Amino acid sequence: MKLLILLLMSVIPLNVYCQHSLSGKISLEGQTEPAFGASVYIQELKTGTTADTSGNYYIGSVPSGTYTIKISYIAHPTVTERNVRITQNLKKDFTLKSGENALNEVVVTGTMKEVSKLDSPVPVDIITAKFIYKNPVSSIFEGLSYVNGVRPQLNCSVCNTGDIHMNGLEGPYTMVLIDGMPMVSGLSTVYGLSGIPNSLIDRVEIVKGPASTLYGSEAVGGLINIITKNPSKAPVFAADVFSTSWLDYNVDLGVKLTPSSKVSSLIGVNYFNYQNPVDHNNDGFTDLTLQNRISIFNKWSFSLPDNKLATIAARYFYEDRWGGQMNWNKSYRGGDEVYGESIYTKRYEVLGSYQLPVQEKVTLQYSFSSHHQNSVYGNVPYMADQKIVFAQLLWDKEVGKHNLLFGAPFRYTFYNDNTPATSRPDGDDHADQTYLPGVFVQDEIKLGDHVLLLGARYDYNSRHGSIFTPRMAYKYKFNQTDVIRLNIGRGFRIVNLFTEDHAALTGSRDVIIKEALNPEQSWNANINFVKKIVTGNSFIGFDASVFYTYFTNRILPDYDTNPNQIIYDNLDGYAVSKGVSLNLDFNFPFPLKIIAGGTYMENYQNENGVKFRPVLTEKFTGIWSVSYELAKSGISFDYTGNIYGPMRLPILSEDDPRAANSPVWSLQNIQMTKKFQNGLEIYGGIKNLLNFTPPSNSIARSFDPFDKDVSFGSDGQVIATPGNPQRLTFDPSYVFAPNQGLRGFLGMRYTFR
């Protein structure tokens, strides 16, 4: 019998019965909370586990050997430790650090204060540069199409200008900030959003729901805060260049300068060029607007005595874009022979902050922007100038359990154009000038696991008078895995019609303003629940919200009453936006990561007892991102996509042959990236895998863009004729998706630290 045992021992490998364990604790650098749900994976054995609520992990039955251990945790870069020798029970602790491309857990947008994302009483979504790289785009405008509940909306089939819809609300209800200041608003919401270079973006913070208590007008449906990179932490040099099979070219460059130990500077340049007119849908018009765009950004950071900081940044943006009939050139600009929409944009910005040299934490924030627009839409000129001056003094004071924030903002807006927006009864042109001083206070009260945030703001608008906006937020942390938030607030918006609605500028419809428009007001409530779930050796992040917004005095363009007019009026009734959203993050012990989300919403207006849905408002949206990495080869794969439910479209009449509602449609992309150890990355893939494009007849009467063969009656209505039996006019506002179908792309990215 002993002989048999010895014989078995000689033929069975030693590591079968020499089993050990690997255990320890995973901590987060600079944080007291453990890394609950972090994955620990032994690559050679293809086995792993997740950390418990105390951050402890345990893997048993590990044979003797030398292994590669990977530790990954949502919001942090993966840590790989090679050549870990296990010959006995091994206890090994790990500390995870935030990286340059990691999801930074510190957010500022919800409360204007630096606070961890988990501890913020206001739910904040975060998008990093790394997320944008999963599907390379030439502007943040396109990159936001893979954020749950956010949809970039094209407003014109010809010039491809657009805005950002959030939870089904139109672009003017979403405020866009740069480093917390209102740089992209009014006129630039339509034309300037695409000019923010990706090279300067550190992260994008998104708050859904009114934030007017802190940020004032326009923050009615939500806000998008583009946080630029800290020059002291940026890489020395970064470059990102790519092109697609449509022959569009995008270049992003970033350079860091360090003149001294207390001064650092970041220079970012973005250049985009597309000069290849194509007409795949055979409507006679360019499928994609031709563009020549450059944006230059320079930011300086200064370290002051007593750990105080100061920053100042400037940006210059220029764009020349046109779309129209395929035989258009600049000699036809402004004429009625060949139709084209040509837009020249020049924009200057300065923004910064300065912590005052006083004992208290007092910060001055300031910004200035100048936006000049020189456009023609066929034979209709549109010339506009907008200047915005903004300054805000903030005092951050902590007293016991009260974290107080006092603010004194001031905003001056100058706007002038050649449309009825700035005309007066005497026929003269008068620039519109608005002064908006205000004060606000916010009190964040911390009582153990309970956090209560109270806020109130008073503004005095030089045209509309006093405006008061209160706010309340509550957060309760059940345990390490479950958090619930309740937010209630009021929003308001001052409307500038001609800076917000492209269809009012094309000349295809007359603009009717029925009365002096009052500010829009809204009340919003949303409940957010966050849960972390550990299932075996996997981790799931669960984030669900229910939202409800009630509008009064809402102003929306009426396209339906008269197909030749856009009628603006305060709604005689109310409007509602409500829905539910869900985000899921899957973190596996092997290198697979999945992000998925969906939003179902109902938006409607009720006027004189009649309930109807606004145009270009979808029923549901969905997004996903699937990433897989082959660590040894340095190759990774990304599959991204979105899906949109039906939306009502602006048809011209009951005889209009175009569909009254859009189909369910989806844009999907796949990318492969090869990373080299010297900081070089080469990537390529396919965009719009399903080759989806909108109907080829999206532009009504594209063959007669100046309506030369359209007959009108004495009442202004179109008369049916043998050449126009469906009573149509030229109209490019019927648009819900880009015209670019399936296309390949190839790019190179290099980072030197």
Side-chain angles (χ1 to χ4, degrees):
M1 186 67 177
K2 290 181 180 179
L3 220 71
L4 180 61
I5 293 173
L6 287 172
L7 181 61
L8 289 172
M9 289 177 64
S10 67
V11 297
I12 298 176
L14 186 64
N15 59 6
V16 170
Y17 55 85
C18 290
Q19 304 286 327
H20 312 294
S21 66
L22 175 66
S23 62
K25 184 171 184 177
I26 303 176
S27 305
L28 302 175
E29 185 182 55
Q31 298 187 36
T32 57
E33 298 198 358
F36 165 66
S39 296
V40 183
Y41 184 67
I42 302 177
Q43 189 167 296
E44 289 78 5
L45 300 179
K46 299 190 183 325
T47 187
T49 188
T50 52
D52 61 20
T53 54
S54 299
N56 297 316
Y57 73 93
Y58 177 85
I59 302 176
S61 302
V62 179
S64 297
T66 302
Y67 301 103
T68 301
I69 301 175
K70 303 188 85 172
I71 303 93
S72 58
Y73 182 58
I74 192 166
H76 286 71
T78 299
V79 172
T80 301
E81 187 153 343
R82 307 182 189 278
N83 301 319
V84 177
R85 185 166 178 78
I86 302 178
T87 57
Q88 58 184 350
N89 293 341
L90 178 64
K91 185 173 183 181
K92 190 170 181 61
D93 297 336
F94 296 94
T95 300
L96 300 180
K97 301 179 181 180
S98 295
E100 182 67 25
N101 292 324
L103 180 65
N104 193 334
E105 281 293 286
V106 175
V107 296
V108 297
T109 304
T111 60
M112 274 194 187
K113 296 184 178 187
E114 288 193 350
V115 61
S116 74
K117 184 176 183 290
L118 187 66
D119 291 336
S120 172
V122 179
V124 181
D125 293 336
I126 305 176
I127 305 302
T128 64
K130 187 176 182 180
F131 182 85
I132 298 173
Y133 290 159
K134 293 178 184 293
N135 176 40
V137 292
S138 61
S139 71
I140 188 62
F141 175 79
E142 299 174 67
L144 292 172
S145 60
Y146 300 96
V147 179
N148 188 19
V150 178
R151 181 172 65 86
Q153 166 64 40
L154 293 176
N155 294 326
C156 173
S157 293
V158 180
C159 67
N160 293 159
T161 52
D163 53 27
I164 301 294
H165 287 211
M166 188 179 293
N167 284 345
L169 295 176
E170 295 78 4
Y173 296 91
T174 301
M175 190 174 199
V176 181
L177 311 167
I178 298 180
D179 286 341
M181 280 167 275
M183 303 298 295
V184 184
S185 58
L187 188 62
S188 60
T189 301
V190 180
Y191 297 100
L193 191 59
S194 61
I196 300 173
N198 294 335
S199 59
L200 67 86
I201 296 175
D202 176 67
R203 66 186 187 276
V204 180
E205 298 182 359
I206 300 170
V207 175
K208 298 170 185 175
S212 292
T213 302
L214 289 183
Y215 296 97
S217 178
E218 299 169 45
V220 181
L223 59 90
I224 298 171
N225 191 5
I226 299 171
I227 310 293
T228 60
K229 291 180 179 178
N230 184 335
S232 64
K233 298 180 180 179
V236 174
F237 176 77
D240 191 357
V241 181
F242 74 88
S243 178
T244 78
S245 55
W246 277 49
L247 303 182
D248 50 335
Y249 303 95
N250 185 79
V251 179
D252 259 306
L253 299 175
V255 178
K256 181 174 74 171
L257 305 174
T258 311
S260 72
S261 60
K262 295 187 177 181
V263 180
S264 55
S265 175
L266 175 65
I267 300 174
V269 178
N270 171 256
Y271 178 68
F272 179 79
N273 187 283
Y274 173 69
Q275 303 295 326
N276 179 40
V278 295
D279 179 23
H280 293 313
N281 62 9
N282 298 314
D283 64 357
F285 276 69
T286 53
D287 290 343
L288 179 65
T289 303
L290 283 78
Q291 301 170 56
N292 188 20
R293 180 177 75 228
I294 187 167
S295 180
I296 303 173
F297 173 82
N298 186 204
K299 182 177 182 179
W300 291 79
S301 177
F302 305 89
S303 296
L304 305 178
D306 301 322
N307 293 321
K308 295 184 182 296
L309 297 174
T311 63
I312 185 169
R315 183 168 73 109
Y316 170 74
F317 168 79
Y318 173 78
E319 183 181 58
D320 174 4
R321 68 162 61 202
W322 77 267
Q325 292 180 289
M326 290 291 288
N327 60 334
W328 187 92
N329 60 57
K330 290 186 179 180
S331 67
Y332 295 108
R333 194 175 196 266
D336 62 356
E337 294 180 57
V338 180
Y339 188 90
E341 298 187 0
S342 173
I343 303 166
Y344 300 143
T345 302
K346 290 183 180 179
R347 182 172 176 82
Y348 308 88
E349 299 171 352
V350 177
L351 65 155
S353 63
Y354 173 66
Q355 282 187 275
L356 300 185
V358 295
Q359 185 175 359
E360 298 290 341
K361 188 176 181 181
V362 181
T363 304
L364 173 66
Q365 296 179 328
Y366 55 90
S367 66
F368 169 77
S369 65
S370 175
H371 190 107
H372 177 71
Q373 198 74 39
N374 180 338
S375 312
V376 292
Y377 301 87
N379 59 352
V380 178
Y382 174 64
M383 310 296 170
D385 279 292
Q386 178 180 270
K387 294 179 176 63
I388 298 176
V389 177
F390 174 80
Q392 181 167 259
L393 201 62
L394 297 175
W395 178 26
D396 189 347
K397 179 71 173 178
E398 192 165 348
V399 181
K401 296 179 180 179
H402 297 264
N403 201 332
L404 299 167
L405 181 69
F406 301 92
F410 173 81
R411 185 173 177 179
Y412 166 75
T413 303
F414 170 93
Y415 176 75
N416 195 21
D417 66 18
N418 63 324
T419 74
T422 55
S423 296
R424 297 294 184 270
D426 59 11
D428 292 336
D429 188 48
H430 295 269
D432 183 27
Q433 301 183 65
T434 305
Y435 300 87
L436 190 65
V439 292
F440 66 83
V441 60
Q442 176 180 271
D443 184 9
E444 186 175 350
I445 309 166
K446 296 182 179 179
L447 302 170
D449 293 328
H450 301 265
V451 177
L452 178 65
L453 184 144
L454 303 173
R457 179 182 181 118
Y458 170 80
D459 289 277
Y460 183 81
N461 184 278
S462 57
R463 284 194 326 201
H464 298 287
S466 300
I467 302 172
F468 177 69
T469 48
R471 178 193 199 189
M472 188 275 288
Y474 169 75
K475 180 182 78 74
Y476 177 65
K477 186 176 180 181
F478 293 95
N479 48 49
Q480 187 67 19
T481 63
D482 304 323
V483 174
I484 191 168
R485 298 179 175 96
L486 170 65
N487 281 259
I488 300 173
R490 188 184 185 192
F492 76 95
R493 187 171 79 92
I494 309 299
V495 180
N496 293 310
L497 297 179
F498 290 82
T499 66
E500 296 170 355
D501 196 332
H502 170 271
L505 310 175
T506 62
S508 62
R509 300 185 186 220
D510 294 327
V511 176
I512 307 297
I513 302 176
K514 294 190 67 174
E515 62 181 34
L517 300 176
N518 296 316
E520 296 185 343
Q521 299 180 13
S522 72
W523 281 99
N524 172 274
N526 67 73
I527 299 175
N528 171 254
F529 178 64
V530 177
K531 184 177 182 63
K532 298 177 181 179
I533 304 172
V534 175
T535 57
N537 57 0
S538 300
F539 165 77
I540 301 175
F542 176 94
D543 188 329
S545 295
V546 178
F547 58 89
Y548 182 92
T549 306
Y550 181 93
F551 292 91
T552 57
N553 284 343
R554 191 171 185 187
I555 302 167
L556 282 178
D558 176 3
Y559 292 87
D560 301 322
T561 301
N562 187 327
N564 302 308
Q565 296 178 342
I566 305 174
I567 303 172
Y568 292 98
D569 193 4
N570 281 114
L571 186 67
D572 185 14
Y574 62 90
V576 169
S577 170
K578 61 182 179 180
V580 296
S581 68
L582 173 64
N583 288 301
L584 295 172
D585 293 301
F586 298 88
N587 198 27
F588 300 98
F590 46 91
L592 174 67
K593 294 184 179 180
I594 300 176
I595 299 173
T599 300
Y600 177 82
M601 66 199 84
E602 183 179 357
N603 292 274
Y604 64 86
Q605 301 173 49
N606 191 310
E607 185 168 24
N608 299 321
V610 179
K611 180 179 174 181
F612 57 96
R613 186 157 61 108
V615 296
L616 299 174
T617 301
E618 64 274 20
K619 275 282 189 181
F620 66 86
T621 66
I623 59 96
W624 62 87
S625 170
V626 181
S627 301
Y628 189 83
E629 182 180 3
L630 302 173
K632 285 186 177 180
S633 61
I635 295 176
S636 60
F637 298 90
D638 293 290
Y639 168 52
T640 56
N642 53 38
I643 186 170
Y644 300 109
M647 60 186 76
R648 193 166 73 89
L649 301 175
I651 58 176
L652 295 174
S653 70
E654 62 274 10
D655 297 325
D656 195 325
R658 299 174 298 178
N661 294 282
S662 68
V664 176
W665 57 285
S666 174
L667 299 178
Q668 301 177 28
N669 322 282
I670 191 167
Q671 174 183 259
M672 183 179 76
T673 304
K674 167 63 177 177
K675 297 180 181 179
F676 299 89
Q677 293 184 354
N678 61 358
L680 176 67
E681 297 180 20
I682 297 177
Y683 57 88
I686 299 174
K687 290 176 177 285
N688 197 353
L689 286 166
L690 302 181
N691 196 29
F692 176 82
T693 55
S696 59
N697 65 341
S698 292
I699 301 178
R701 289 187 65 84
S702 60
F703 56 88
D704 183 22
F706 296 100
D707 290 336
K708 292 182 179 180
D709 295 324
V710 176
S711 299
F712 297 90
S714 58
D715 58 355
Q717 298 290 325
V718 180
I719 299 174
T721 62
N724 187 18
Q726 295 157 333
R727 297 181 292 117
L728 304 180
T729 59
F730 173 72
D731 185 13
S733 62
Y734 180 100
V735 56
F736 60 91
N739 279 317
Q740 284 185 289
L742 183 146
R743 59 201 185 279
F745 66 92
L746 181 66
M748 179 184 69
R749 189 178 297 121
Y750 177 72
T751 304
F752 177 69
R753 300 189 181 278

